[in-house]
Amino acid sequence: MGGATLEQAYPGIAFRGRSRNWWARLTRVPPECVHLEHEFSWMATYVPDTLYLQGKASVQRQPARPEVSLCRACLLGELESELARYRGRILAFEPDGGAFSQYFFVGAPDFSAAGLKPEVAEAIERRLDQSLGTCQGCDHPAHWMWIPRVQVENLDEVGDIATAKGQALCPAHGAQQLCESFTAVSEANLLYVNVPYGEAGAYLWI
Ligand SMILES: [Zn+2]
Ligand SMILES: [Zn+2]
């Protein structure tokens, strides 16, 4: 179960030398992009291919790309191209920029293993089954339902998940919307960000 090397996984990103030495490996500090040497207000731990199911790591793609720490620009560069390529269904909840510490995708079959309450999982699944029509930003078929925070403040609002109007978006515009919401957050230290897998699922924040 060998993972991808840093160079194979992230050809476009330069990593700090110091974060790759023997001491960093020994202490399992993930490699950092070079920008984190001077930027402290925004960083994210990017673990694209690994899903955490109640603390247990579950690899969704082989070879899995290694865990890395990225500045916002490097993170969004990775995320935007990854999301625009994904052809599955996504229900994405806009995070609370002042309060979120993780933003992650869970595939529909893993909702309960990931710890979602049954009624929440059911409400999300029902939304994922609805037809979305065309993207609000262009004429392509919509694959995303973006749920602004004013419509669903948190995942306990099961009734709001069911009735939220949301925005139907194609993969490109969905990716753009998610990146814009990250850009609007001036400071963040995200402990976990992954990418979509499987055929359908939800982007959640905690
Ligand atoms: Zn960077
Ligand atoms: Zn579009």
Side-chain angles (χ1 to χ4, degrees):
M1 221 177 76
T5 67
L6 214 50
E7 288 74 15
Q8 289 164 344
Y10 309 107
I13 296 181
F15 289 92
R16 293 177 69 183
R18 202 176 65 85
S19 72
R20 304 186 55 183
N21 66 17
W22 65 271
W23 177 249
R25 285 196 299 272
L26 195 69
T27 52
R28 295 179 176 270
V29 174
E32 299 173 353
C33 75
V34 288
H35 313 106
L36 289 179
E37 192 162 355
H38 303 292
E39 287 178 26
F40 306 107
S41 57
W42 221 107
M43 63 177 290
T45 302
Y46 186 56
V47 202
D49 304 320
T50 304
L51 176 68
Y52 292 99
L53 299 168
Q54 315 211 51
K56 253 185 82 196
S58 160
V59 172
Q60 301 303 325
R61 179 171 14 195
Q62 295 288 359
R65 287 166 287 184
E67 172 177 333
V68 288
S69 294
L70 301 178
C71 72
R72 177 163 55 189
C74 287
L75 175 73
L76 296 188
E78 290 295 310
L79 265 186
E80 189 157 14
S81 64
E82 189 82 31
L83 295 174
R85 270 202 308 271
Y86 178 69
R87 285 292 172 268
R89 263 300 163 95
I90 299 182
L91 190 71
F93 293 93
E94 180 185 7
D96 178 349
F100 76 148
S101 62
Q102 303 186 18
Y103 197 75
F104 55 95
F105 180 91
V106 180
D110 297 319
F111 283 166
S112 89
L116 277 192
K117 289 185 199 154
E119 62 271 25
V120 173
E122 214 174 283
I124 294 176
E125 275 163 17
R126 233 177 282 136
R127 294 305 303 255
L128 285 169
D129 285 342
Q130 286 169 357
S131 75
L132 293 173
T134 54
C135 172
Q136 291 185 9
C138 66
D139 289 332
H140 291 122
H143 291 231
W144 284 60
M145 174 59 75
W146 175 260
I147 310 277
R149 224 173 77 75
V150 291
Q151 295 176 14
V152 177
E153 217 163 299
N154 66 65
L155 285 183
D156 292 328
E157 313 292 339
V158 177
D160 291 347
I161 295 174
T163 56
K165 194 161 168 285
Q167 290 166 255
L169 298 169
C170 68
H173 282 111
Q176 204 179 316
Q177 180 65 62
L178 194 156
C179 289
E180 274 170 23
S181 84
F182 278 20
T183 302
V185 178
S186 58
E187 278 186 27
N189 182 5
L190 298 181
L191 306 174
Y192 175 41
V193 179
N194 69 349
V195 300
Y197 60 89
E199 286 172 10
Y203 255 122
L204 312 169
W205 63 272
I206 51 174

